Amino acid sequence: MKAKKRTAAQVAEDCLVYDKPVTVQRYTAGSWQDAEHLHANINKAVGSDIPRFLFRFRYYSLFDEIRLHPQIFRLICFGETYSVADYDDYNERHRVIKLTAERMNCSTLNLISETRSMNDRAQFVTEETASENVFCTVSEYTEAEWNGAQQRGYDAEVRLNVFASDYAGQRICKWQDNRYEIYRRTVEGDMIALYLGRRVGV
């Protein structure tokens, strides 16, 4: 029986060299933990305004989980940290997995919870309780988001992305030793984008 002719993609895959050590980390119980140590073929991605890199790996069972929940995974390579922006398993062949990734701007955020109670003078008082620092990433504002903040009466400062499991609806926070109001929130998969600002004129 004549062997089936190999495609150009299969031939190219066989020529790949997986020589760059990569640590795959999973976000669990409020911290990043090593999930696997692998080797990848890495190239710079083209056709994007944001600097991105292509990490090619031989298929491994962990990638099934990464495909479903890419936001709870990150890649560590040569001291740099990368978030997973896209996943590709060509024709579902489970041969070579291609992850498009971009450098993460990592930081920490202190969320402040508020509790209202009545004192002995029958006056309501608010007590604040600061959380432990939680992991976040820093994103740039778009022009539309900045204009939207102005319409809400806020000077926009920064957009931070936190894991939904770390956020309990707080309206106040501290970031880089500055106090901000969280005036807007959007859910993005396993993450919540928090929009931080200060009221205009305050």
Side-chain angles (χ1 to χ4, degrees):
M1 184 175 178
K2 187 176 180 180
K4 186 176 179 180
K5 185 177 180 180
R6 294 174 61 75
T7 66
Q10 290 173 320
V11 173
E13 285 176 355
D14 290 340
C15 295
L16 293 176
V17 177
Y18 304 89
D19 59 347
K20 303 297 189 297
V22 178
T23 298
V24 181
Q25 292 188 329
R26 180 194 290 110
Y27 194 77
T28 304
S31 65
W32 289 100
Q33 301 176 14
D34 290 357
E36 197 61 60
H37 299 280
L38 303 173
H39 284 80
N41 175 279
I42 304 175
N43 285 294
K44 189 171 183 180
V46 296
S48 174
D49 294 334
I50 302 173
R52 290 185 169 181
F53 297 83
L54 298 179
F55 288 74
R56 291 182 175 88
F57 298 88
R58 292 186 179 92
Y59 174 78
Y60 185 75
S61 58
L62 178 66
F63 290 107
D64 294 334
E65 188 178 353
I66 295 176
R67 178 176 187 170
L68 294 174
H69 299 283
Q71 292 172 317
I72 67 170
F73 289 91
R74 70 180 185 181
L75 311 177
I76 308 294
C77 182
F78 299 124
E80 297 283 354
T81 305
Y82 300 86
S83 62
V84 179
D86 189 42
Y87 177 104
D88 182 34
D89 179 3
Y90 181 69
N91 281 345
E92 304 292 329
R93 291 184 300 160
H94 287 11
R95 286 172 51 86
V96 174
I97 303 299
K98 182 173 70 175
L99 300 182
T100 304
E102 56 190 52
R103 287 194 180 96
M104 297 177 72
N105 186 355
C106 302
S107 186
T108 57
L109 174 68
N110 194 278
L111 296 165
I112 299 174
S113 299
E114 300 171 284
T115 304
R116 293 193 71 194
S117 60
M118 186 175 293
N119 62 17
D120 55 5
R121 297 181 181 180
Q123 297 172 327
F124 282 104
V125 294
T126 301
E127 295 183 2
E128 296 184 353
T129 303
S131 69
E132 296 292 331
N133 285 335
V134 300
F135 173 82
C136 66
T137 59
V138 184
S139 299
E140 293 185 2
Y141 266 88
T142 65
E143 183 176 352
E145 289 170 340
W146 191 90
N147 290 334
Q150 290 289 308
Q151 293 173 4
R152 290 169 179 256
Y154 287 89
D155 284 326
E157 292 288 343
V158 67
R159 170 183 165 173
L160 302 179
N161 309 294
V162 302
F163 284 98
S165 58
D166 290 335
Y167 181 67
Q170 292 91 339
R171 300 184 307 112
I172 303 171
C173 64
K174 284 186 177 180
W175 182 66
Q176 294 187 343
D177 295 325
N178 294 311
R179 182 183 174 96
Y180 298 104
E181 285 189 48
I182 301 171
Y183 67 86
R184 183 188 174 201
R185 302 176 290 272
T186 58
V187 178
E188 300 178 357
D190 294 304
M191 308 290 287
I192 294 180
L194 303 179
Y195 296 80
L196 278 55
R198 294 189 176 93
R199 292 187 180 276
V200 174
V202 176

